[in-house]
Amino acid sequence: MPTRILPAGADPDAVRSLVTLLSQLPDAEPQSPAGDSTQLVDTLARLAAESVDELPEVVVVHERIGPVPALELIREVALRFPAVGVILVTTDAGPGLFSAAMDSGARGLVALPLSYEELASRVQAVAQWSTGVRRHLGHGADVFGGAGGTVVTVSGAKGGVGTTLTAIQLALAAQASGRPAALVDLDLQTGDVASFLDIQFRRSVVDLAAITDISPRVLADAVFRHDTGLALLLAPAEGERGEEVTDRAARQIVSALRSRYEVVVVDCGAQLSAAGAAVVEMADTALLVTTPDVVAVRGAKRTVRMWDRLQIRKAEETTVVVNRHTRSTDIQPALVQRITGTALARTAVPANFKELQAVVDAGRLHELDNKSTVKQALWGLAGELGLVKAAEGAAHRGSGRGPGGFRRRKE
């Protein structure tokens, strides 16, 4: 049986040389190379969604890949696709990098310039390991499916536009519809998820920042289980500790969560941090919440342009949600879309703070009445984004029970 090998690297010349050499290996079947980290993960997720057996046995990652650094990419691939063996190709084959690569989940390391014998030996060994893992796990039947949970980030055009309200209600909607959901407060200095849900907590996202291997037990210890069933990973009580959560830590934490929950909603707040930027970049859906006023819309445009300049996310890959919408305002959602150049959520959230005031003041946002037009809109947005699923007529669970009538998603 041929060994399927997926090469990945950002340097076209280096990748071309790698593919040429891989093609000469016995029983090797090189696949179309991935040009960056996003394309690699997306390709593996698509193949895993069809069948775990469709995944390549070996992935060869060139050190010059981006935007996610090679070692962090290897860690994500190893976590999400545990039966795929990863080889790192690098100019630095010293013991320090070798140890770091193994800690990240790599199965081998090959030095540049490439040697046919060394590459053939490593590929053969890693392919045998991958085949053995799949055989042990019943031909992939019990291997994690790879595509993982859906990650949605919620960012604000400016402070006070309803970012946290939106994130909480999206997560509650997913959980109530039967999809295990996690809510992460990555507004590291001013996060208010705990206040909105009136909870006292000891552990936060900072407790996972320095851990290189987040096991299910470690993750469970850091997560707060809410009465609604929602899993919460909260911002630190001491805002200055937010600096401990680096972009690398954020990627690892969210990758660990998405491997264990069907939906992961991340409240990124209105201030861009390195951790927030990393998660927006890796998210399946990035929402930007704004209100229909000049200052907020200018803030949304400024954020979109900044994301594009920093190569975090393109405007057309960002979805704007208009909060506090009224028909009488001069700025309507279509105008917001034209100004920002983004995609636009079909669901606009109406302005009705009277519905919210009692539960916000009490810190019981999960008890917002089902008849609330704001809640109905936000849960409708969750349906629009594909975050909810429920059998027709099925009862929703928990005190966060929300509006009925979710349409069945096509799986």
Side-chain angles (χ1 to χ4, degrees):
M1 179 178 177
T3 299
R4 294 163 296 181
I5 307 170
L6 177 56
D11 185 333
D13 293 334
V15 172
R16 192 178 304 112
S17 299
L18 177 60
V19 172
T20 299
L21 198 54
L22 289 172
S23 302
Q24 299 173 14
L25 302 183
D27 297 324
E29 187 180 293
Q31 301 181 335
S32 298
D36 57 39
S37 58
T38 301
Q39 185 181 357
L40 173 61
V41 174
D42 287 348
T43 299
L44 293 174
R46 175 177 52 79
L47 294 171
E50 297 174 7
S51 169
V52 175
D53 291 330
E54 295 298 318
L55 287 168
E57 285 77 22
V58 180
V59 169
V60 181
V61 175
H62 194 281
E63 64 179 355
R64 293 185 201 167
I65 194 167
V68 177
L71 292 181
E72 295 180 27
L73 175 62
I74 290 171
R75 187 184 302 278
E76 183 173 358
V77 171
L79 178 66
R80 296 178 59 185
F81 312 95
V84 173
V86 185
I87 296 174
L88 175 63
V89 176
T90 177
T91 53
D92 176 14
L97 182 61
F98 180 85
S99 177
M102 296 305 106
D103 288 343
S104 296
R107 301 301 308 177
L109 187 147
V110 176
L112 289 168
L114 292 172
S115 159
Y116 175 88
E117 291 77 13
E118 184 182 11
L119 184 62
S121 173
R122 280 291 88 209
V123 167
Q124 182 181 16
V126 173
Q128 289 176 350
W129 171 86
S130 176
T131 301
V133 169
R134 298 181 194 205
R135 186 183 303 116
H136 176 72
L137 294 172
H139 302 287
D142 297 325
V143 179
F144 175 66
T150 299
V151 175
V152 177
T153 57
V154 185
S155 304
K158 57 183 284 292
V161 296
T163 307
T164 301
L165 167 69
T166 301
I168 290 174
Q169 290 297 331
L170 290 179
L172 287 172
Q175 180 69 33
S177 73
R179 303 191 73 184
L183 173 60
V184 185
D185 193 346
L186 215 58
D187 187 357
L188 296 171
Q189 292 186 341
T190 57
D192 280 324
V193 168
S195 297
F196 274 111
L197 298 177
D198 191 28
I199 56 177
Q200 301 295 321
F201 64 97
R202 292 186 304 106
R203 298 193 179 278
S204 72
V205 65
V206 170
D207 293 295
L208 298 177
I211 299 175
T212 56
D213 184 14
I214 303 177
S215 66
R217 180 181 294 275
V218 169
L219 187 63
D221 287 342
V223 165
F224 182 96
R225 184 66 62 177
H226 192 257
D227 293 342
T228 58
L230 192 61
L232 303 175
L233 189 55
L234 301 162
E238 304 84 9
E240 66 274 13
R241 295 199 64 196
E243 296 181 358
E244 299 175 31
V245 185
T246 64
D247 54 343
R248 176 179 178 180
R251 288 193 190 97
Q252 183 178 347
I253 290 166
V254 173
S255 294
L257 286 166
R258 84 186 307 171
S259 71
R260 293 166 177 84
Y261 296 93
E262 289 190 33
V263 175
V264 180
V265 180
V266 185
D267 179 359
C268 293
Q271 298 295 321
L272 183 68
S273 64
V279 177
V280 169
E281 182 183 59
M282 69 183 291
D284 299 290
T285 301
L287 301 181
L288 182 60
V289 181
T290 185
T291 47
D293 58 84
V294 172
V295 175
V297 174
R298 283 178 177 171
K301 184 177 181 179
R302 184 170 58 245
T303 297
V304 169
R305 287 182 171 180
M306 179 172 61
W307 286 0
D308 186 60
R309 289 194 305 272
L310 297 177
Q311 298 183 343
I312 296 169
R313 205 169 191 94
K314 297 179 180 177
E316 59 270 23
E317 297 173 348
T318 302
T319 301
V320 162
V321 177
V322 178
N323 187 26
R324 299 177 198 150
H325 171 257
T326 63
R327 293 185 179 181
S328 60
T329 184
D330 291 335
I331 300 178
Q332 292 296 311
L335 178 59
V336 176
Q337 182 181 23
R338 288 198 299 272
I339 292 172
T340 59
T342 61
L344 177 69
R346 295 191 304 272
T347 304
V349 184
N352 199 334
F353 185 70
K354 287 183 179 180
E355 296 178 351
L356 302 172
Q357 187 165 7
V359 292
V360 169
D361 289 345
R364 308 288 292 179
L365 195 57
H366 53 290
E367 294 180 354
L368 184 60
D369 193 280
N370 292 345
K371 295 179 181 179
S372 162
T373 57
V374 174
K375 181 173 184 175
Q376 289 176 0
L378 288 170
W379 287 43
L381 175 63
E384 178 184 335
L385 299 174
L387 304 183
V388 299
K389 64 177 181 180
E392 194 170 320
H396 295 300
R397 302 194 302 271
S399 59
R401 189 178 304 169
F406 287 131
R407 293 183 179 180
R408 184 190 297 272
R409 294 177 65 235
K410 293 182 180 180
E411 298 295 338

